[in-house]
Amino acid sequence: MQAETRTIPGTDVQLPVLGFGGAPIGNLYREVPEQEAVDAVTAAWEGGVRYFDTAPHYGLGLSERRLGAALAGKDRDSYVLSTKIGRLLRPNPSPRGKDTEGFDVPDNVHRVRDYSRDGVLRSIEESLQRLGTDRIDIVYIHDPDDYWTEAVEGAAPALSALRDEGVIGAWGAGMNQSEMLHRFVTETGIDVIMLAGRYTLLEQGAARDLLPACVERGVGVVNVGVFNSGLLSKERPAANATYNYAPAPQEVLDRANLLADICESHGTTLPAAALHYPYQHPAVTSVVLGMRTPAQVKENLDLAAQSVPAELWTDLRDRGLIA
């Protein structure tokens, strides 16, 4: 299968419209056996996926190492690779045994926030070593919520210089909020954003100002978190489903069930609609899904292959359920 691509505006990066998110194989929430993680990447590759995203944050480097091992030997020109800066991994002076930021890994190293020019260069060099590759196509500034000044004065110009020198293909910022991403789009020379959970079938806050700004300024959008922490990942939301990484409030569950009813009435499913919805916006370049196992990869590829009737979007708009 040849991966469909869309070009990140103003760059030469041809970004596949579906990507593999590497947080789960960094032991997000629970341990994933080494072979299962590698098999997940292999299954994605065999299914035609050619965009892979990771970060030092994911499993304290475990995701990068596993992804690099799984992609070893693949033609480097045949896929797009992204990682992130902002968290350097350094020896932990007071380890307690396990990471405290959501990953089931030993905490022999810890994260040191650094959005400076030197921090960018060190982070990229260390990621290249963990990934076992000679280049990274896209570098995102990762979660700079409390570090705006450092990010725009240090990381942004450093990444722009690396892009202009041809060291990287594009740079961006990845966040769970849309307000600061809007500032990046309107106040810096950013190429692409990674938007987590703010433009989904369930909520479209980013459609008010962020996505129009991306269209106007020629900034690509990689949309992630399209299942809203798993709430939209099943045909029927579980009663104990999570939303924004916490138990879903009843009104959110009710809305998700209503969406599921409408999807069924149009002959499709909630997760299929959740995956396909972001592509309806002209700003969206790619959707990245976290994938943990070969079975999960197959499930996601099957969803991507489904066709969702255009009448569904019309119905949801007429009911005021989507922007």
Side-chain angles (χ1 to χ4, degrees):
M1 172 183 122
Q2 183 67 35
E4 180 190 349
T5 63
R6 296 178 182 178
T7 304
I8 296 176
T11 78
D12 295 327
V13 179
Q14 301 282 323
L15 195 59
V17 298
L18 183 68
F20 179 102
I25 64 167
N27 287 2
L28 179 64
Y29 304 133
R30 62 178 175 84
E31 183 180 1
V32 178
E34 187 81 20
Q35 191 58 52
E36 189 169 57
V38 171
D39 288 348
V41 179
T42 301
W45 181 274
E46 292 175 349
V49 175
R50 293 296 183 270
Y51 174 32
F52 299 88
D53 175 71
T54 183
H57 172 55
Y58 302 156
L60 295 171
L62 181 63
S63 174
E64 287 185 321
R65 289 191 297 271
R66 284 177 162 177
L67 188 59
L71 293 175
K74 302 283 193 292
D75 176 6
R76 185 61 189 85
D77 291 332
S78 66
Y79 64 91
V80 176
L81 180 63
S82 63
T83 191
K84 306 176 182 75
I85 63 90
R87 293 174 172 92
L88 292 172
L89 303 181
R90 294 294 176 260
N92 190 349
S94 53
R96 298 184 178 182
K98 285 286 185 184
D99 179 47
T100 58
E101 295 193 31
F103 295 89
D104 187 6
V105 293
D107 65 344
N108 54 309
V109 298
H110 69 148
R111 304 162 182 87
V112 176
R113 293 293 189 122
D114 191 335
Y115 296 89
S116 68
R117 176 185 179 277
D118 287 347
V120 166
L121 299 177
R122 284 198 299 270
S123 186
I124 291 174
E125 181 60 36
E126 291 164 13
S127 287
L128 287 169
Q129 292 175 8
R130 286 188 292 267
L131 287 160
T133 188
D134 61 353
R135 75 174 190 272
I136 296 163
D137 300 295
I138 306 169
V139 178
Y140 297 101
I141 302 172
H142 202 186
D143 296 334
D145 303 70
D146 299 321
Y147 301 89
W148 167 257
T149 300
E150 295 91 331
V152 297
E153 292 181 359
L159 291 169
S160 289
L162 292 173
R163 176 200 60 204
D164 296 346
E165 293 162 7
V167 177
I168 61 176
W171 72 269
M175 305 183 72
N176 290 290
Q177 56 150 299
S178 62
E179 294 80 9
M180 190 177 287
L181 286 177
H182 185 264
R183 291 192 68 186
F184 273 106
V185 170
T186 57
E187 299 178 33
T188 76
I190 200 168
D191 302 306
V192 59
I193 60 169
M194 181 169 274
L195 176 65
R198 304 285 78 85
Y199 186 65
T200 72
L201 195 63
L202 193 66
E203 60 171 288
Q204 299 96 45
R208 287 192 292 270
D209 55 2
L210 176 58
L211 297 186
C214 290
V215 172
E216 179 184 346
R217 293 175 177 266
V219 173
V221 177
V222 175
N223 210 40
V224 300
V226 298
F227 297 132
N228 283 116
S229 306
L231 182 64
L232 306 182
S233 66
K234 305 297 179 188
E235 294 189 13
R236 278 286 157 187
N240 62 346
T242 57
Y243 169 69
N244 283 347
Y245 310 103
Q250 188 59 49
E251 62 269 22
V252 172
L253 281 173
D254 291 345
R255 184 181 178 93
N257 275 294
L258 175 59
L259 290 167
D261 289 339
I262 299 169
C263 289
E264 284 180 12
S265 74
H266 286 276
T268 188
T269 66
L270 184 61
L275 173 54
H276 286 268
Y277 173 67
Y279 295 115
Q280 308 312 305
H281 200 289
V284 173
T285 312
S286 179
V287 172
V288 168
L289 303 176
M291 305 193 208
R292 185 182 300 273
T293 66
Q296 199 172 64
V297 170
K298 182 183 185 305
E299 185 179 323
N300 287 331
L301 292 177
D302 287 348
L303 288 175
Q306 292 179 27
S307 59
V308 175
E311 294 79 14
L312 172 65
W313 313 128
T314 303
D315 193 359
L316 291 172
R317 274 193 295 271
D318 288 348
R319 295 171 185 243
L321 290 168
I322 60 173

